[in-house]
Short mmCIF file of all heavy atoms in Angstrom, two decimals:
data_model
loop_
_atom_site.label_atom_id
_atom_site.label_comp_id
_atom_site.label_asym_id
_atom_site.label_seq_id
_atom_site.Cartn_x
_atom_site.Cartn_y
_atom_site.Cartn_z
N LYS A 1 0.78 -1.24 0.00
CA LYS A 1 0.00 0.00 0.00
C LYS A 1 0.81 1.29 0.00
O LYS A 1 0.36 2.30 -0.53
CB LYS A 1 -0.93 0.03 1.22
CG LYS A 1 -1.96 -1.08 1.27
CD LYS A 1 -2.79 -0.93 2.54
CE LYS A 1 -3.85 -2.02 2.65
NZ LYS A 1 -4.66 -1.87 3.90
N TYR A 2 2.00 1.26 0.62
CA TYR A 2 2.63 2.53 0.95
C TYR A 2 3.98 2.79 0.28
O TYR A 2 4.50 3.90 0.39
CB TYR A 2 2.77 2.67 2.47
CG TYR A 2 1.43 2.57 3.16
CD1 TYR A 2 1.13 1.52 4.03
CD2 TYR A 2 0.44 3.53 2.93
CE1 TYR A 2 -0.11 1.43 4.64
CE2 TYR A 2 -0.80 3.44 3.54
CZ TYR A 2 -1.07 2.39 4.40
OH TYR A 2 -2.29 2.29 5.00
N LEU A 3 4.58 1.80 -0.36
CA LEU A 3 5.82 2.09 -1.08
C LEU A 3 5.48 2.81 -2.38
O LEU A 3 4.48 2.49 -3.04
CB LEU A 3 6.58 0.80 -1.37
CG LEU A 3 7.21 0.08 -0.17
CD1 LEU A 3 8.05 -1.09 -0.64
CD2 LEU A 3 8.04 1.03 0.68
N PRO A 4 6.29 3.77 -2.79
CA PRO A 4 5.98 4.56 -4.00
C PRO A 4 6.10 3.72 -5.27
O PRO A 4 6.71 2.64 -5.27
CB PRO A 4 7.03 5.67 -3.98
CG PRO A 4 8.16 5.10 -3.17
CD PRO A 4 7.53 4.23 -2.13
N ASP A 5 5.51 4.23 -6.36
CA ASP A 5 5.47 3.46 -7.60
C ASP A 5 6.81 3.44 -8.34
O ASP A 5 6.91 2.85 -9.41
CB ASP A 5 4.36 3.96 -8.53
CG ASP A 5 4.50 5.44 -8.86
OD1 ASP A 5 5.54 6.02 -8.52
OD2 ASP A 5 3.56 6.00 -9.46
N VAL A 6 7.84 4.09 -7.78
CA VAL A 6 9.17 3.97 -8.38
C VAL A 6 9.76 2.58 -8.13
O VAL A 6 10.73 2.19 -8.77
CB VAL A 6 10.14 5.05 -7.85
CG1 VAL A 6 9.69 6.43 -8.29
CG2 VAL A 6 10.26 4.98 -6.32
N CYS A 7 9.18 1.85 -7.20
CA CYS A 7 9.66 0.49 -6.91
C CYS A 7 9.31 -0.43 -8.07
O CYS A 7 8.22 -0.34 -8.65
CB CYS A 7 9.04 -0.03 -5.62
SG CYS A 7 9.53 0.88 -4.14
N ASP A 8 10.21 -1.34 -8.37
CA ASP A 8 10.02 -2.31 -9.44
C ASP A 8 8.76 -3.14 -9.16
O ASP A 8 8.70 -3.83 -8.13
CB ASP A 8 11.25 -3.22 -9.52
CG ASP A 8 11.18 -4.21 -10.68
OD1 ASP A 8 10.12 -4.81 -10.90
OD2 ASP A 8 12.20 -4.37 -11.36
N PRO A 9 7.75 -3.12 -10.05
CA PRO A 9 6.49 -3.85 -9.76
C PRO A 9 6.67 -5.36 -9.69
O PRO A 9 6.02 -6.02 -8.88
CB PRO A 9 5.58 -3.44 -10.92
CG PRO A 9 6.49 -2.96 -11.99
CD PRO A 9 7.68 -2.37 -11.30
N LEU A 10 7.55 -5.92 -10.53
CA LEU A 10 7.77 -7.36 -10.49
C LEU A 10 8.46 -7.77 -9.19
O LEU A 10 8.12 -8.79 -8.58
CB LEU A 10 8.59 -7.81 -11.70
CG LEU A 10 7.91 -7.68 -13.06
CD1 LEU A 10 8.84 -8.13 -14.18
CD2 LEU A 10 6.61 -8.49 -13.10
N LEU A 11 9.43 -6.95 -8.77
CA LEU A 11 10.13 -7.25 -7.53
C LEU A 11 9.20 -7.06 -6.33
O LEU A 11 9.25 -7.82 -5.37
CB LEU A 11 11.35 -6.34 -7.39
CG LEU A 11 12.27 -6.60 -6.20
CD1 LEU A 11 12.72 -8.06 -6.16
CD2 LEU A 11 13.47 -5.68 -6.25
N ARG A 12 8.32 -6.07 -6.41
CA ARG A 12 7.34 -5.87 -5.33
C ARG A 12 6.45 -7.10 -5.20
O ARG A 12 6.18 -7.57 -4.09
CB ARG A 12 6.49 -4.63 -5.60
CG ARG A 12 5.65 -4.22 -4.38
CD ARG A 12 4.50 -3.29 -4.76
NE ARG A 12 4.93 -2.05 -5.33
CZ ARG A 12 4.79 -0.84 -4.74
NH1 ARG A 12 4.21 -0.74 -3.57
NH2 ARG A 12 5.19 0.26 -5.36
N ASN A 13 5.97 -7.63 -6.34
CA ASN A 13 5.15 -8.84 -6.30
C ASN A 13 5.93 -10.02 -5.74
O ASN A 13 5.39 -10.84 -4.97
CB ASN A 13 4.64 -9.19 -7.71
CG ASN A 13 3.53 -8.27 -8.17
OD1 ASN A 13 2.96 -7.52 -7.37
ND2 ASN A 13 3.20 -8.32 -9.45
N GLU A 14 7.19 -10.10 -6.11
CA GLU A 14 8.04 -11.19 -5.62
C GLU A 14 8.16 -11.12 -4.09
O GLU A 14 8.06 -12.14 -3.40
CB GLU A 14 9.42 -11.07 -6.26
CG GLU A 14 10.29 -12.29 -6.09
CD GLU A 14 11.60 -12.17 -6.86
OE1 GLU A 14 11.58 -11.59 -7.98
OE2 GLU A 14 12.64 -12.62 -6.34
N VAL A 15 8.37 -9.91 -3.57
CA VAL A 15 8.46 -9.73 -2.12
C VAL A 15 7.13 -10.08 -1.45
O VAL A 15 7.10 -10.76 -0.41
CB VAL A 15 8.87 -8.28 -1.78
CG1 VAL A 15 8.71 -8.01 -0.29
CG2 VAL A 15 10.31 -8.03 -2.21
N LEU A 16 6.03 -9.67 -2.06
CA LEU A 16 4.72 -9.96 -1.48
C LEU A 16 4.44 -11.46 -1.47
O LEU A 16 3.93 -12.00 -0.48
CB LEU A 16 3.63 -9.23 -2.26
CG LEU A 16 3.50 -7.73 -1.97
CD1 LEU A 16 2.54 -7.07 -2.95
CD2 LEU A 16 3.03 -7.50 -0.53
N TYR A 17 4.75 -12.15 -2.56
CA TYR A 17 4.57 -13.60 -2.59
C TYR A 17 5.37 -14.25 -1.46
O TYR A 17 4.88 -15.16 -0.78
CB TYR A 17 5.03 -14.18 -3.93
CG TYR A 17 4.01 -14.07 -5.04
CD1 TYR A 17 4.33 -13.44 -6.24
CD2 TYR A 17 2.74 -14.63 -4.90
CE1 TYR A 17 3.40 -13.34 -7.27
CE2 TYR A 17 1.81 -14.54 -5.92
CZ TYR A 17 2.13 -13.90 -7.10
OH TYR A 17 1.21 -13.80 -8.12
N HIS A 18 6.57 -13.77 -1.26
CA HIS A 18 7.42 -14.34 -0.22
C HIS A 18 6.82 -14.10 1.17
O HIS A 18 6.82 -14.99 2.03
CB HIS A 18 8.82 -13.72 -0.29
CG HIS A 18 9.86 -14.49 0.45
ND1 HIS A 18 11.09 -14.80 -0.06
CD2 HIS A 18 9.85 -15.05 1.68
CE1 HIS A 18 11.78 -15.50 0.81
NE2 HIS A 18 11.05 -15.66 1.88
N ILE A 19 6.31 -12.89 1.40
CA ILE A 19 5.70 -12.59 2.69
C ILE A 19 4.46 -13.44 2.92
O ILE A 19 4.26 -13.98 4.02
CB ILE A 19 5.36 -11.09 2.80
CG1 ILE A 19 6.62 -10.24 2.74
CG2 ILE A 19 4.60 -10.80 4.10
CD1 ILE A 19 6.36 -8.74 2.66
N PHE A 20 3.61 -13.58 1.90
CA PHE A 20 2.42 -14.42 2.03
C PHE A 20 2.81 -15.86 2.37
O PHE A 20 2.20 -16.50 3.24
CB PHE A 20 1.61 -14.40 0.73
CG PHE A 20 0.61 -13.28 0.63
CD1 PHE A 20 0.83 -12.21 -0.22
CD2 PHE A 20 -0.55 -13.31 1.38
CE1 PHE A 20 -0.09 -11.18 -0.32
CE2 PHE A 20 -1.49 -12.28 1.29
CZ PHE A 20 -1.25 -11.21 0.44
N TYR A 21 3.84 -16.37 1.67
CA TYR A 21 4.29 -17.75 1.92
C TYR A 21 4.79 -17.88 3.35
O TYR A 21 4.42 -18.82 4.07
CB TYR A 21 5.39 -18.13 0.94
CG TYR A 21 6.21 -19.31 1.42
CD1 TYR A 21 5.71 -20.61 1.32
CD2 TYR A 21 7.46 -19.12 2.01
CE1 TYR A 21 6.44 -21.69 1.80
CE2 TYR A 21 8.19 -20.19 2.48
CZ TYR A 21 7.67 -21.47 2.38
OH TYR A 21 8.40 -22.53 2.86
N LEU A 22 5.65 -16.94 3.77
CA LEU A 22 6.25 -17.03 5.10
C LEU A 22 5.19 -16.87 6.18
O LEU A 22 5.22 -17.57 7.20
CB LEU A 22 7.32 -15.94 5.24
CG LEU A 22 8.23 -16.01 6.47
CD1 LEU A 22 8.90 -17.37 6.59
CD2 LEU A 22 9.26 -14.90 6.41
N GLU A 23 4.24 -15.99 5.97
CA GLU A 23 3.15 -15.78 6.92
C GLU A 23 2.36 -17.07 7.12
O GLU A 23 2.06 -17.48 8.26
CB GLU A 23 2.25 -14.67 6.42
CG GLU A 23 1.12 -14.28 7.36
CD GLU A 23 0.27 -13.15 6.79
OE1 GLU A 23 0.06 -13.12 5.55
OE2 GLU A 23 -0.19 -12.31 7.56
N GLU A 24 2.02 -17.72 6.03
CA GLU A 24 1.25 -18.97 6.12
C GLU A 24 2.06 -20.08 6.76
O GLU A 24 1.55 -20.84 7.61
CB GLU A 24 0.80 -19.40 4.71
CG GLU A 24 -0.04 -20.67 4.71
CD GLU A 24 -0.48 -21.08 3.32
OE1 GLU A 24 -0.05 -20.43 2.33
OE2 GLU A 24 -1.23 -22.05 3.21
N ASP A 25 3.33 -20.19 6.38
CA ASP A 25 4.16 -21.26 6.92
C ASP A 25 4.40 -21.09 8.41
O ASP A 25 4.35 -22.05 9.18
CB ASP A 25 5.49 -21.31 6.17
CG ASP A 25 6.11 -22.69 6.20
OD1 ASP A 25 6.84 -23.00 7.16
OD2 ASP A 25 5.85 -23.47 5.26
N LEU A 26 4.65 -19.85 8.85
CA LEU A 26 4.84 -19.59 10.27
C LEU A 26 3.56 -19.83 11.06
O LEU A 26 3.61 -20.25 12.23
CB LEU A 26 5.32 -18.15 10.48
CG LEU A 26 6.80 -17.89 10.17
CD1 LEU A 26 7.09 -16.39 10.15
CD2 LEU A 26 7.71 -18.58 11.19
N HIS A 27 2.42 -19.58 10.43
CA HIS A 27 1.14 -19.87 11.10
C HIS A 27 1.02 -21.36 11.38
O HIS A 27 0.64 -21.77 12.49
CB HIS A 27 -0.02 -19.39 10.22
CG HIS A 27 -1.37 -19.74 10.76
ND1 HIS A 27 -1.87 -19.20 11.92
CD2 HIS A 27 -2.33 -20.58 10.29
CE1 HIS A 27 -3.07 -19.70 12.16
NE2 HIS A 27 -3.38 -20.53 11.19
N HIS A 28 1.36 -22.19 10.39
CA HIS A 28 1.32 -23.64 10.60
C HIS A 28 2.35 -24.07 11.65
O HIS A 28 2.09 -24.98 12.45
CB HIS A 28 1.56 -24.38 9.29
CG HIS A 28 0.40 -24.33 8.35
ND1 HIS A 28 -0.81 -24.93 8.62
CD2 HIS A 28 0.26 -23.75 7.13
CE1 HIS A 28 -1.65 -24.73 7.62
NE2 HIS A 28 -1.03 -24.01 6.71
N HIS A 29 3.49 -23.42 11.64
CA HIS A 29 4.52 -23.71 12.64
C HIS A 29 3.97 -23.48 14.05
O HIS A 29 4.17 -24.30 14.95
CB HIS A 29 5.73 -22.80 12.37
CG HIS A 29 6.88 -23.03 13.29
ND1 HIS A 29 7.84 -24.00 13.09
CD2 HIS A 29 7.23 -22.40 14.45
CE1 HIS A 29 8.73 -23.96 14.06
NE2 HIS A 29 8.38 -22.99 14.91
N THR A 30 3.27 -22.37 14.23
CA THR A 30 2.67 -22.06 15.52
C THR A 30 1.62 -23.10 15.90
O THR A 30 1.53 -23.52 17.07
CB THR A 30 2.03 -20.66 15.49
OG1 THR A 30 3.03 -19.69 15.21
CG2 THR A 30 1.38 -20.33 16.83
N LEU A 31 0.84 -23.55 14.92
CA LEU A 31 -0.18 -24.57 15.20
C LEU A 31 0.46 -25.90 15.61
O LEU A 31 -0.09 -26.62 16.46
CB LEU A 31 -1.07 -24.76 13.98
CG LEU A 31 -2.02 -23.60 13.64
CD1 LEU A 31 -2.77 -23.88 12.34
CD2 LEU A 31 -3.01 -23.35 14.78
N ILE A 32 1.59 -26.24 15.00
CA ILE A 32 2.30 -27.46 15.41
C ILE A 32 2.70 -27.35 16.88
O ILE A 32 2.57 -28.31 17.65
CB ILE A 32 3.55 -27.68 14.52
CG1 ILE A 32 3.17 -28.04 13.08
CG2 ILE A 32 4.45 -28.76 15.13
CD1 ILE A 32 2.57 -29.41 12.91
#
């Protein structure tokens, strides 16, 4: 939401995918 549009859009998506993955995986880790 808040980083300016000068940031590389493909790299931004890559970072977001990674955060989504890590968020989900850590959630399962906590459930274990």
Side-chain angles (χ1 to χ4, degrees):
K1 297 179 180 180
Y2 302 115
L3 290 186
D5 57 9
V6 293
C7 295
D8 184 316
L10 293 179
L11 186 53
R12 191 198 298 247
N13 285 347
E14 193 175 324
V15 169
L16 284 171
Y17 278 124
H18 196 134
I19 296 173
F20 273 108
Y21 161 77
L22 190 54
E23 184 179 36
E24 182 180 5
D25 206 274
L26 283 169
H27 175 66
H28 286 294
H29 182 85
T30 299
L31 290 176
I32 291 290

